[in-house]
Amino acid sequence: MKNYRNWIGGEWTDSVSGRTFADVNPADTRDVLGRAARSDRRDVSRAVAAAKAALGPWASTPAPKRAEILFRSAEILRGRKEDLARLITREMGKTLLEARADVQEAVDTAYFYAGEGRRLYGQTTPSELRDKLCLTFRRPVGVCALITPWNFPVAIPSWKAYPALICGNSMVLKPAEDTPLSALFFAEILSEAGLPPGVFNVVTGTGEEAGRPLAEHPDVSLVSFTGSSKTGAGIAASCGRRLKRCALELGGKNALVLLEDADLRLALDAALWSAFATSGQRCTATSRIIVHRRLFARFLKAFTEKARGWKAGPGEDDASAFGPIVNRRQLESIQRHVRRAVRDGARLVTGGRPETAGAKKHGFFYPATILTRVTPEMAIAREEVFGPVTALIQASDDAEAIRLANDCRYGLSSAVFTRSVEKAASAIERLEAGITYVNSSTIGAEAHLPFGGVKDSGNGHREAGTAALDIFSEWKTVYLDASGRLQKAQVD
C-alpha cells in the first residue's frame, strides 16, 4: 500500500511522527487508496516556515508573470482532467459526471485569476492639494492558511489558492482527511506549472491535530476556511484574539421556493438536481422546498415519483444518479436527523434508511429522502443535514413562502420559481441569501461571480470573482508630493 507524504517546500516529506491514516473509498471500504501523512503541529510549523521563506520572492514577482504560472496550471488541469476526476470519484464518492465538473471549476478558476494578473487595479484620485498625487494598489497579505472540506476536493482549494497566488501570497493547505490525495494531486500540478517551491504547501491530517495548529500559527496572517458554522465560529474567535484575518464560508439551509405561478416541470427538475446531486453534500444543496398550497399536492406526487428513480450507487457506475455518503460518521448523522424529524411529527415519504443490500453493504449509501408535514420550528427545517434529504413545507400564499424561506439562521443560497418578472424582482429583493437563482436550482455557482452568504453562512467575505481579491490582498495608499514644500492636508 502506497504512503503519501506532505508537500512542503517543493518536496515530499514524511510526517515528523511517522504516523499515517487510511484513505478509503466510501463506495467500497475494502478499497483503500493509500495511507496519508497524519500531520501535527510540528509538520505545520515546517510548512509555515517554508511558506514564509518563499513569500518575499513570490510577492516581488510581477503579477503578470505569476499569472503565466496560473494559466499553465489550467492547461495541465485540462489535460489531466479525467485522471483527477477518477481520483475524486474514488476518494470521496461523487459521480464521474460531477467529478469532472469539480475539476472543470478549478480550470475555470485558474483561467479567471490568470486574467486578473494584468487587472490588479488600484485607483488614482485627485488630491486636495497642488502638485500631489494620490494612488492605491494591492499588496499581499502574507502566509495564508487554507482549510478545505471534502465535498469539492479540487474546486474549493482552487477557489482559495488561485486568488491568493495572483495577489502574491504564499500558503499552506490543510485538506479534509477524507480527501488528502486530491489536494496532493493539485499540488503536483501547480509544481509542474512552475510555481516556486514553498509558495504552495500541503499538510494532511485531522482538523484537531493539523487544522487547529495551522489556524493558530503566529506566522499565518489569514485563515480561509470552508466548513461548518460551528467550526467557523471557533476559528473566528481564535483569529479575533490574535487580530488575524479570517474568511469563512459556512453552512446553509437553502430553500427552493415555488410561487403560485411556478413552472412545475422546471421546478421538479431543479429540485431533484439541487436536493440530491452530490448526495446532498453541498453547502448550497436544497434542503427545504417551500411550495404554494395550490401546487403542493401535484408537486409532492411528481417529485416523489422522480426521486424514487434517482438511485444511489458507485460513482463510476453510469447508472448511479448520485454516489455514497463520504464516511460512516456522516451517514449516521443523516440518519439521526431523519429519525428526529419523524419523532417531531414529520412524515417520511420515501427513503429514510441506509442502503446495505448486495455490494452496497461495503459502502455508505443513503437514498433520496423526502419529508413532509414539516413545520418551521422542527430541527429538520432549521439544521443543516448535508445529505440527500429534503423537507417539503406548504405555504398559504406567496408572501408566506418568502417569509418561511427567510425563517432560518442561514442565508447562503436560494431559488424562486415564478413566471412573473414583478414577483421575481420582489423575491430577489426580499430573500435573505447571498445567492438567489430565478427559475433554477440552488446549486451551480460560476467562477467569476462572488460566492458566499449572510447570517450564519459566513462572516461577510465572498469567494470567487474579483471579490476574492479583497480577501487575499491589502490596500496600500500612497501620497506622492512633488511640491517641494511641506503641505498639510486639511490645514492648507
Side-chain angles (χ1 to χ4, degrees), residues 58-59 61-71 109-120 138-140 158 160-171 195 199 465-466 468-470 472-473:
W58 179 245
T61 300
K65 292 300 181 183
R66 298 196 294 258
E68 291 174 8
I69 295 173
L70 270 61
F71 187 89
T109 301
Y111 282 140
F112 177 81
Y113 287 109
E116 290 305 301
R118 292 184 181 271
R119 286 194 298 268
L120 285 178
R138 295 182 185 272
R139 295 294 298 154
S158 79
K160 300 178 186 297
Y162 282 129
L165 288 169
I166 202 63
C167 288
N169 301 284
S170 61
M171 65 214 64
L195 192 67
V199 175
T466 55
L469 301 176
D470 289 328
F472 293 106
S473 63

Side-chain angles (χ1 to χ4, degrees), residues 282-302:
R282 294 183 183 225
C283 56
T284 53
T286 294
S287 56
R288 293 180 297 150
I289 303 175
I290 300 169
V291 186
H292 190 285
R293 60 182 174 81
R294 292 186 179 174
L295 302 177
F296 191 86
R298 280 188 293 151
F299 180 83
L300 174 60
K301 182 176 184 295

Side-chain angles (χ1 to χ4, degrees), residues 57-374:
W58 179 245
S60 64
T61 300
K65 292 300 181 183
R66 298 196 294 258
E68 291 174 8
I69 295 173
L70 270 61
F71 187 89
R72 283 197 295 271
S73 75
E75 296 288 280
I76 297 168
L77 276 166
R78 283 182 62 198
R80 301 183 70 182
K81 181 176 179 178
E82 189 65 17
D83 291 341
L84 185 47
R86 289 187 177 275
L87 172 61
I88 291 170
T89 292
R90 190 175 165 209
E91 189 173 40
M92 72 74 58
K94 66 174 64 176
T95 64
L96 275 172
L97 178 73
E98 292 191 77
R100 293 178 185 122
D102 196 312
V103 181
Q104 185 60 48
E105 193 161 358
V107 173
D108 296 343
T109 301
Y111 282 140
F112 177 81
Y113 287 109
E116 290 305 301
R118 292 184 181 271
R119 286 194 298 268
L120 285 178
Y121 298 139
Q123 294 179 313
T124 56
T125 69
S127 172
E128 63 188 58
L129 300 170
R130 296 178 183 276
D131 301 315
K132 185 176 180 181
L133 300 176
C134 301
L135 61 147
T136 65
F137 57 91
R138 295 182 185 272
R139 295 294 298 154
V141 174
V143 175
C144 301
L146 313 181
I147 303 175
T148 58
W150 42 263
N151 57 339
F152 286 85
V154 174
I156 291 179
S158 79
W159 276 19
K160 300 178 186 297
Y162 282 129
L165 288 169
I166 202 63
C167 288
N169 301 284
S170 61
M171 65 214 64
V172 179
L173 168 64
K174 206 297 285 184
E177 52 264 41
D178 292 291
T179 53
L181 305 193
S182 297
L184 296 172
F185 197 126
F186 184 48
E188 275 187 20
I189 287 172
L190 289 174
S191 178
E192 187 178 338
L195 192 67
V199 175
F200 183 82
N201 307 274
V202 181
V203 292
T204 59
T206 69
E208 189 62 33
E209 294 175 341
R212 183 189 293 273
L214 177 59
E216 295 177 351
H217 197 287
D219 289 333
V220 165
S221 300
L222 179 150
V223 180
S224 178
F225 170 79
T226 298
S228 74
S229 297
K230 180 180 179 181
T231 302
I235 290 173
S238 171
C239 289
R241 289 192 296 273
R242 295 166 174 81
L243 297 180
K244 183 182 298 189
R245 282 187 173 197
C246 68
L248 307 173
E249 199 282 287
L250 307 175
K253 191 67 181 174
N254 313 291
L256 185 148
V257 180
L258 277 68
L259 301 183
E260 186 176 9
D261 64 340
D263 181 331
L264 204 59
R265 176 198 57 81
L266 182 58
L268 279 167
D269 289 341
L272 282 165
W273 176 242
S274 55
F276 304 130
T278 327
S279 310
Q281 298 174 123
R282 294 183 183 225
C283 56
T284 53
T286 294
S287 56
R288 293 180 297 150
I289 303 175
I290 300 169
V291 186
H292 190 285
R293 60 182 174 81
R294 292 186 179 174
L295 302 177
F296 191 86
R298 280 188 293 151
F299 180 83
L300 174 60
K301 182 176 184 295
F303 186 54
T304 302
E305 289 173 358
K306 285 181 173 287
R308 286 173 176 158
W310 269 56
K311 301 297 185 184
E316 298 94 337
D317 187 343
D318 290 340
S320 301
F322 57 92
I325 305 304
V326 72
N327 56 41
R328 185 177 301 281
R329 182 178 64 255
Q330 184 61 25
L331 183 76
E332 292 171 349
S333 173
I334 294 166
Q335 185 63 21
R336 285 194 299 272
H337 278 287
V338 173
R339 285 176 176 165
R340 180 178 177 183
V342 173
R343 287 198 308 269
D344 288 346
R347 173 178 167 245
L348 181 62
V349 177
T350 189
R353 65 175 56 187
E355 298 180 320
T356 58
K360 290 186 178 180
K361 69 181 180 182
H362 298 294
F364 308 119
F365 294 95
Y366 204 88
T369 298
I370 300 171
L371 294 155
T372 61
R373 298 179 186 166
V374 173

